[in-house]
Amino acid sequence: MTSVVPVAHPTPPEASVHSATLTATLRALRPLLADLNTAPFADGAPLERLVMRADTPVVSSCLPLEPAGAKAVAPRATPLVAAFLDGIQRSRVVAYADGTPLIFATVAAAVRQRTNGHLESWALPQVRRLLLASREALGTARWEQLVAAGVAVVDVADHGAPDGEQHEGLWHPHALRARALELVALEREHLERQLAAQWCAEETRWLWIDGGIAGNLALSASSPAFGVVKSHNTLYGDAAAIRQVLALREGERSPAFLVGYRPRQAVASWYLRLRAAAHGDPLFGLVRVEVAPPAEVAHGNGGHAQQAAFTALCDELSSAIVLERHPVSLPDARWDTLAYGVHAVETYLQALVGP
């Protein structure tokens, strides 16, 4: 069993915080928008809970890196993972200006490392707060006053129209809201990648990154970091490979394959079943691991020794991940794929930035 000890209410230390808080932002907004009524918006649920992604589930091709066939993986006797990295985002509509939403967002990321059976912060957690709005709707004078008040304002309408949206000075309010959420997610990913790059530059111990690693060009085959993807909007492989993935039993992994993210770097990946599929759900307990592959393996010209070393790495990381199934992250609805270490980082960040 993993050595992580649950902590119900962690007390966050000092953090690296950028830009004005929600209270300071609302204070700066009130004299600019005389009819502003913030309570119904600022106290509401985050947009992340209200706006559902509409991406169509797809199947994508990939390049096999290992022979076909499921492989049983036994959990390690002791933890290999030294730390966990995760980020969160919270976005709320706080007002409307000329019919367009003003969205206040907080993004945060942290690395929590194992120390004497507990998790504690490695480096300062990163926090950034933004106000996303249409500069055209706010007007130059209001915009500059907000900047002078220390509010980090982002022009949502200056980042390209959403698919199918005709701009010409007029946006659908929900299109602006959706675009704002995309920009907030990019900012969160930026903080996460910064921390991952910092860890890999300073540490040799293994870092578990929640989510994929393909967007982080600072990670290489020698980097002590891997990503664990919990959602499967895209399934990789041909028909036979995907049938095999969906049929994986608890403690089995798929062969590794190469996923090409252009213009991002390609990554080696494989599926791993953490828990038996409940009620026949083929995605229950299924995660996908990502790691930066050696160049020779990725290009298909590695020798037997290099291929064997890569397979051994996939097995070792899989064993380390299987070990992290306990303790269970209940009552979180994602408990079947959410490692407790990642859950603990999320809990810590939520305490840091608030609801």
Side-chain angles (χ1 to χ4, degrees), residues 154-299:
V154 176
D155 187 0
V156 180
D158 190 39
H159 288 79
D163 293 342
E165 177 82 8
Q166 297 298 319
H167 182 15
E168 297 180 356
L170 180 64
W171 295 74
H172 191 297
H174 286 183
L176 277 178
R177 189 177 68 178
R179 183 57 181 147
L181 285 177
E182 292 176 0
L183 296 176
V184 172
L186 289 175
E187 185 63 30
R188 171 185 52 77
E189 292 171 3
H190 176 68
L191 295 185
E192 293 171 354
R193 290 168 186 166
Q194 281 186 321
L195 282 173
Q198 183 182 351
W199 173 277
C200 292
E202 300 178 16
E203 295 280 355
T204 58
R205 300 175 297 159
W206 280 101
L207 174 68
W208 176 312
I209 299 173
D210 186 53
I213 65 166
N216 197 330
L217 300 180
L219 302 188
S220 67
S222 61
S223 298
F226 61 89
V228 177
V229 180
K230 305 186 297 295
S231 58
H232 306 287
N233 203 59
T234 300
L235 286 173
Y236 294 96
D238 58 21
I242 290 177
R243 280 194 293 268
Q244 183 183 86
V245 165
L246 299 181
L248 286 174
R249 293 180 292 184
E250 181 175 348
E252 288 186 340
R253 77 169 179 91
S254 74
F257 50 89
L258 193 70
V259 179
Y261 293 80
R262 299 186 182 278
R264 299 178 291 176
Q265 65 180 354
V267 297
S269 186
W270 64 93
Y271 289 96
L272 176 64
R273 179 82 67 185
L274 299 181
R275 307 179 195 280
H279 310 295
D281 181 356
L283 300 182
F284 183 88
L286 186 70
V287 298
R288 185 170 58 81
V289 188
E290 287 191 354
V291 66
E296 296 81 5
V297 173
H299 296 153

Side-chain angles (χ1 to χ4, degrees), residues 5-254:
V5 176
V7 179
H9 300 288
T11 301
E14 181 183 359
S16 177
V17 181
H18 307 278
S19 187
T21 64
L22 174 60
T23 300
T25 299
L26 294 177
R27 187 183 304 118
L29 277 172
R30 284 192 180 98
L32 305 182
L33 301 171
D35 57 346
L36 177 63
N37 183 0
T38 61
F41 309 118
D43 296 338
L47 291 178
E48 285 79 6
R49 298 181 190 174
L50 303 176
V51 179
M52 302 296 292
R53 291 186 59 179
D55 296 347
T56 302
V58 296
V59 172
S60 181
S61 61
C62 59
L63 178 67
L65 295 177
E66 292 182 301
K71 189 172 186 178
V73 175
R76 283 176 56 92
T78 58
L80 176 69
V81 178
F84 300 85
L85 186 158
D86 196 14
I88 64 171
Q89 63 185 71
R90 298 287 184 271
S91 309
R92 286 180 170 84
V93 176
V94 294
Y96 286 90
D98 196 21
T100 65
L102 278 63
I103 297 168
F104 182 84
T106 301
V107 294
V111 173
R112 302 279 282 173
Q113 65 178 339
R114 281 189 164 109
T115 304
N116 298 324
H118 296 274
L119 290 177
E120 64 179 26
S121 290
W122 179 91
L124 288 177
Q126 299 294 309
V127 180
R128 189 168 186 222
R129 300 184 175 100
L130 311 167
L131 182 67
L132 301 102
S134 164
R135 181 166 186 161
E136 181 179 5
L138 268 181
T140 300
R142 287 173 172 172
W143 189 276
E144 292 178 351
Q145 285 179 268
L146 287 170
V147 172
V151 178
V153 198
V154 176
D155 187 0
V156 180
D158 190 39
H159 288 79
D163 293 342
E165 177 82 8
Q166 297 298 319
H167 182 15
E168 297 180 356
L170 180 64
W171 295 74
H172 191 297
H174 286 183
L176 277 178
R177 189 177 68 178
R179 183 57 181 147
L181 285 177
E182 292 176 0
L183 296 176
V184 172
L186 289 175
E187 185 63 30
R188 171 185 52 77
E189 292 171 3
H190 176 68
L191 295 185
E192 293 171 354
R193 290 168 186 166
Q194 281 186 321
L195 282 173
Q198 183 182 351
W199 173 277
C200 292
E202 300 178 16
E203 295 280 355
T204 58
R205 300 175 297 159
W206 280 101
L207 174 68
W208 176 312
I209 299 173
D210 186 53
I213 65 166
N216 197 330
L217 300 180
L219 302 188
S220 67
S222 61
S223 298
F226 61 89
V228 177
V229 180
K230 305 186 297 295
S231 58
H232 306 287
N233 203 59
T234 300
L235 286 173
Y236 294 96
D238 58 21
I242 290 177
R243 280 194 293 268
Q244 183 183 86
V245 165
L246 299 181
L248 286 174
R249 293 180 292 184
E250 181 175 348
E252 288 186 340
R253 77 169 179 91
S254 74

Side-chain angles (χ1 to χ4, degrees), residues 71-75 250-253 272 314-320 322:
K71 189 172 186 178
V73 175
E250 181 175 348
E252 288 186 340
R253 77 169 179 91
L272 176 64
C314 296
D315 290 341
E316 182 179 36
L317 293 180
S318 297
S319 295
V322 171

